[in-house]
């Protein structure tokens, strides 16, 4: 373990050597001298690959915010400007209330993603020019680099539409040439598809996982390929793209047969169960190395404040010793979201913690917060060391179901596998199986609901609604069709100031 931590720290330091300090897009590293003194051994390539995963981890909060914070999961209750514990939302409410602007963008600097895109560009360039790295590692690392770059650009594409494309390595700083205009959406999507193809071909027949599924892999690339194809299928690609998605998912099932749903939903996320058979790719956290700090900063309450409330149905009062969340609750889960779950669904209490207050002789549900990533206890405090899933087998099944619906096929098998696991011993097929629920009359709505229950706090809900169509966004969130331009995010003032070739997202006030 000490060697692993040492490698990660070294690689983070190496990665920082190439980080830009002169533009919000982070398109240039600090020193080409550092670059000239590097890339001399295979170990240095190994360390750099570790470094890009460390930097990828640093973007977790942006992945979650862009994929979820504008959906129908989080928010204070009606007529309440603060959380049920009294903690202030501190501007996070702008995301779920859809009132973002260039000075309050929710996510700024394009999520910081360009800081790793430039590293991936450099890695691709160096791998293609070296004979130091073994062919097996070179191909695997090229698969990682192209796949991860496509993943970043897919986030950028879904969030801002047309964005700056940077694929060439930048080895020196030229202040006069830093300004660069955004490319049209079609060109960004073309880059995403090309990178996916290059990643897939680079991995070739290698379906192995590395770092206990903490490294990007061919399976991650195929999951991304399916996700991108489904997005395009709903936007004119129809059955052709849906077939591409289904084939990619079946490729994973065929070649990695040990992937499966775990019997118990909550065990998928526990800190001591990393790289389990449901995980396809996850962001790795380790005690005494790195924790999910963004969870404590916004999504769980202060220990002293939550001790004023009671847990499920008021059966136990919270206490500081047991419920030492040690956070600041800026973004509570909406009571309406919690109440969408069936009481027999194990995902309800595994994902969301309700809080009750005394009212007369009974108890009243007054608020909720995230319970999915509980971390581990360490010297009397809570450390959020759960891995954060990017792709897992439940996602594969529900994307398969979605592709089948588009193709006019029966999605029952995939949906029911997920539902059966969720309800466990309480699963009654006559009541819960597809297509026996009323909502199943609309298969896409049924799948969207299932994805909501399954992936709360995994950064997917806003993207799910956006993928299947704008009307689903308007029907399920606070965004009105009268302000459809807000489906995309505004660009922050600093980015517009530092790159005068950028233009504000259409519809928002011009910079």
């Amino acid at each position: 373990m000490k060697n692993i931590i040492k490698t990660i720290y070294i690689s983070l330091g190496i990665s920082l050597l190439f980080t830009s300090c002169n533009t919000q897009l982070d398109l240039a590293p600090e020193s080409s001298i550092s670059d000239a003194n590097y890339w001399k051994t295979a170990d240095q390539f190994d360390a750099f690959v570790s470094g890009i995963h460390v930097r990828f981890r640093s973007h977790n909060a942006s992945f979650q915010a862009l994929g979820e914070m504008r959906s129908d999961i989080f928010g204070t209750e009606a007529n309440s400007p603060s959380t049920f514990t009294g903690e202030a939302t501190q501007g996070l409410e702008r995301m779920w209330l859809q009132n973002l602007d260039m000075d309050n963008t929710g996510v700024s600097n394009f999520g910081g993603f360009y800081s790793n895109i430039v590293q991936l560009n450099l890695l691709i360039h160096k791998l293609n020019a070296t004979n130091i790295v073994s062919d097996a590692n070179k191909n695997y690392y090229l698969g990682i680099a192209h796949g991860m770059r496509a993943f970043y650009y897919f986030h950028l594409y879904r969030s801002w539409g047309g964005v700056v494309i940077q694929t060439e390595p930048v080895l020196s700083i030229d202040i006069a040439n830093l300004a660069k205009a955004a490319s049209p959406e079609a060109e960004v999507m073309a880059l995403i598809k090309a990178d996916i193809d290059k990643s897939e071909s680079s991995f070739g027949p290698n379906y192995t996982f590395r770092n206990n599924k903490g490294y990007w892999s061919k399976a991650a690339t195929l999951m991304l390929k399916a996700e991108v194809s489904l997005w395009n299928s709903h936007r004119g690609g129809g059955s052709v793209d849906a077939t591409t998605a289904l084939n990619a998912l079946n490729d994973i099932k065929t070649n990695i047969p040990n992937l499966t749903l775990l019997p118990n939903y909550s065990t998928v996320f526990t800190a001591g169960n990393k790289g389990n058979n449901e995980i396809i790719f996850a962001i790795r956290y380790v005690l005494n190395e790195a924790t999910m700090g963004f969870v404590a900063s916004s999504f769980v309450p202060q220990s002293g404040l939550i001790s004023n409330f009671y847990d499920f149905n008021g059966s136990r009062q919270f206490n500081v010793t047991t419920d030492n969340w040690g956070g600041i609750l800026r973004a509570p889960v909406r009571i309406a979201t919690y109440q969408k779950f069936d009481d027999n669904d194990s995902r309800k209490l595994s994902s969301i913690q309700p809080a009750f207050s005394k009212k007369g002789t009974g108890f009243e549900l007054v608020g909720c917060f995230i319970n999915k990533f509980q971390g581990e206890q360490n010297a009397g405090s809570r450390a959020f060391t759960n891995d954060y899933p990017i792709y897992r087998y439940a996602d594969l099944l529900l994307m398969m179901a979605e592709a089948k619906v588009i193709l006019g096929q029966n999605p029952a098998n995939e949906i029911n596998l997920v539902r059966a696991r969720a309800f466990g011993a309480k699963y009654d097929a006559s009541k819960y199986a597809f297509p026996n629920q009323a909502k199943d009359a609309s298969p896409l709505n049924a799948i969207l609901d299932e994805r909501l229950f399954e992936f709360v706090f995994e950064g997917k809900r806003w993207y799910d609604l956006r993928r299947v169509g704008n009307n689903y966004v308007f029907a399920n969130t606070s965004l009105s069709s009268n302000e459809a331009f807000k489906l995309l995010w505004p660009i922050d003032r600093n980015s517009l100031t530092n790159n005068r070739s950028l233009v504000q997202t259409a519809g928002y006030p011009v910079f």
Side-chain angles (χ1 to χ4, degrees):
M1 177 58 71
K2 289 182 179 178
N3 289 336
I4 293 172
I5 294 172
K6 181 179 178 182
T7 299
I8 291 172
Y9 280 139
I10 289 172
S11 56
L12 176 58
I14 290 166
S15 185
L16 290 174
L17 288 175
F18 303 105
T19 303
S20 168
C21 62
N22 288 282
T23 170
Q24 289 294 312
L25 292 180
D26 296 326
L27 293 182
E30 285 184 359
S31 173
S32 61
I33 297 174
S34 300
D35 178 78
N37 294 331
Y38 200 66
W39 312 108
K40 303 299 185 184
T41 68
D43 286 345
Q44 290 175 331
F45 279 88
D46 295 343
F48 197 87
V49 170
S50 178
I52 63 172
H53 286 89
V54 171
R55 190 179 290 274
F56 186 89
R57 180 173 63 194
S58 74
H59 296 145
N60 197 353
S62 294
F63 296 146
Q64 187 274 332
L66 291 170
E68 197 166 46
M69 292 301 293
R70 295 181 63 191
S71 71
D72 50 346
I73 293 175
F74 299 100
T76 56
E77 300 309 316
N79 303 316
S80 175
S82 62
T83 70
F84 71 92
T85 55
E87 293 155 297
T89 54
Q90 290 290 89
L92 292 186
E93 77 283 351
R94 285 181 171 272
M95 287 188 276
W96 60 73
L97 293 177
Q98 317 295 342
N99 60 358
L100 300 171
D101 56 43
M102 74 174 75
D103 295 307
N104 303 277
T105 54
V107 176
S108 61
N109 189 20
F110 298 96
F113 297 158
Y114 285 97
S115 68
N116 214 14
I117 288 173
V118 73
Q119 311 304 318
L120 295 164
N121 296 341
L122 188 59
L123 178 60
I124 291 168
H125 173 72
K126 293 297 182 180
L127 284 168
N128 284 325
T130 190
N131 58 7
I132 294 172
V133 182
S134 69
D135 288 343
N137 273 353
K138 179 186 288 190
N139 290 333
Y140 202 96
Y141 291 166
L142 282 170
I144 288 174
H146 283 291
M148 192 177 285
R149 189 170 70 180
F151 182 83
Y152 275 121
Y153 270 107
F154 192 41
H155 275 280
L156 292 168
Y157 172 89
R158 290 178 293 180
S159 301
W160 288 278
V163 293
V164 171
I165 289 179
Q166 180 70 22
T167 58
E168 295 301 316
V170 184
L171 301 178
S172 63
I173 296 173
D174 184 355
I175 297 296
N177 291 318
L178 284 179
K180 191 171 185 178
S183 296
E185 290 186 28
E187 292 182 17
V188 180
M189 179 54 71
L191 170 63
I192 293 167
K193 289 181 175 180
D195 262 342
I196 289 172
D197 289 344
K198 289 176 183 176
S199 175
E200 191 176 356
S201 63
S202 294
F203 279 119
N206 192 341
Y207 290 86
T208 61
F209 294 107
R210 296 191 180 184
N211 193 27
N212 202 21
K213 301 182 179 178
Y215 271 19
W216 191 274
S217 63
K218 180 167 185 176
T221 291
L222 290 170
M223 289 292 289
L224 176 61
K225 183 177 184 177
E227 193 174 15
V228 171
S229 298
L230 286 174
W231 178 279
N232 290 323
S233 178
H234 289 290
R235 284 159 178 75
S239 60
V240 173
D241 279 302
T243 299
T244 299
L246 193 58
N247 288 341
L249 299 168
N250 275 319
D251 189 343
I252 299 172
K253 285 187 67 176
T254 300
N255 290 288
I256 315 175
N258 63 336
L259 287 173
T260 188
L261 295 177
L262 296 192
N264 187 326
Y265 177 79
S266 64
T267 61
V268 176
F269 312 100
T270 56
N273 197 24
K274 300 176 184 297
N276 60 67
N277 284 344
E278 184 161 340
I279 298 299
I280 293 174
F281 171 55
I283 296 175
R284 176 61 38 78
Y285 292 93
V286 180
L287 187 65
N288 298 322
E289 177 207 314
T291 62
M292 278 194 281
F294 71 97
V295 176
S297 68
S298 299
F299 297 100
V300 294
Q302 295 182 43
S303 302
L305 293 178
I306 196 61
S307 63
N308 295 315
F309 300 91
Y310 296 78
D311 72 356
F312 184 62
N313 287 338
S315 59
R316 181 183 68 86
Q317 186 169 5
F318 294 115
N319 67 80
V320 174
T321 301
T322 303
D323 305 289
N324 56 340
W325 291 98
I328 302 175
L329 187 59
R330 306 294 190 199
V333 174
R334 296 170 63 239
I335 290 176
T337 301
Y338 173 77
Q339 291 177 331
K340 286 182 180 180
F341 288 74
D342 189 287
D343 285 342
N344 289 327
D345 189 336
S346 66
R347 297 171 297 190
K348 185 172 189 174
L349 292 178
S350 293
S351 300
I352 303 171
Q353 175 62 62
F356 293 79
S357 64
K358 280 188 174 181
K359 185 174 183 180
T361 58
F363 294 89
E364 177 184 14
L365 177 61
V366 293
C368 306
F369 59 94
I370 282 296
N371 191 41
K372 178 172 281 185
F373 301 112
Q374 298 183 11
E376 60 185 293
Q377 297 295 329
N378 180 49
S381 64
R382 188 186 297 267
F384 292 96
T385 55
N386 313 81
D387 281 0
Y388 190 90
I390 299 298
Y391 292 121
R392 55 188 177 88
Y393 193 67
D395 201 0
L396 181 150
L397 291 173
L398 291 175
M399 282 201 287
M400 287 190 77
E402 187 174 332
K404 286 185 172 183
V405 168
I406 297 169
L407 294 168
Q409 300 176 20
N410 186 353
N413 180 63
E414 289 74 22
I415 293 175
N416 290 337
L417 283 171
V418 174
R419 287 182 180 176
R421 193 267 296 271
F423 287 89
K426 298 178 181 178
Y427 182 67
D428 178 350
S430 66
K431 180 178 180 181
Y432 294 123
F434 183 93
N436 298 330
Q437 297 189 50
K439 63 184 176 183
D440 295 339
S442 171
L444 272 182
N445 272 320
I447 291 169
L448 284 173
D449 270 4
E450 214 59 50
R451 291 184 64 86
L452 168 63
F453 302 147
E454 186 72 25
F455 301 117
V456 164
F457 207 57
E458 295 181 51
K460 297 183 183 291
R461 176 63 171 175
W462 173 259
Y463 287 148
D464 286 345
L465 295 172
R466 289 268 286 120
R467 180 177 64 254
V468 297
N470 296 349
N471 288 336
Y472 289 87
V473 179
F474 305 141
N476 289 279
T477 75
S478 60
L479 183 59
S480 166
S481 59
N482 295 327
E483 294 185 306
F485 69 91
K486 290 185 177 180
L487 289 163
L488 296 176
W489 296 63
I491 301 173
D492 61 283
R493 185 182 295 273
N494 283 342
S495 292
L496 293 166
T497 299
N498 291 335
N499 182 357
R500 290 309 181 104
S501 294
L502 284 177
V503 177
Q504 181 59 275
T505 306
Y508 291 97
V510 177
F511 176 62

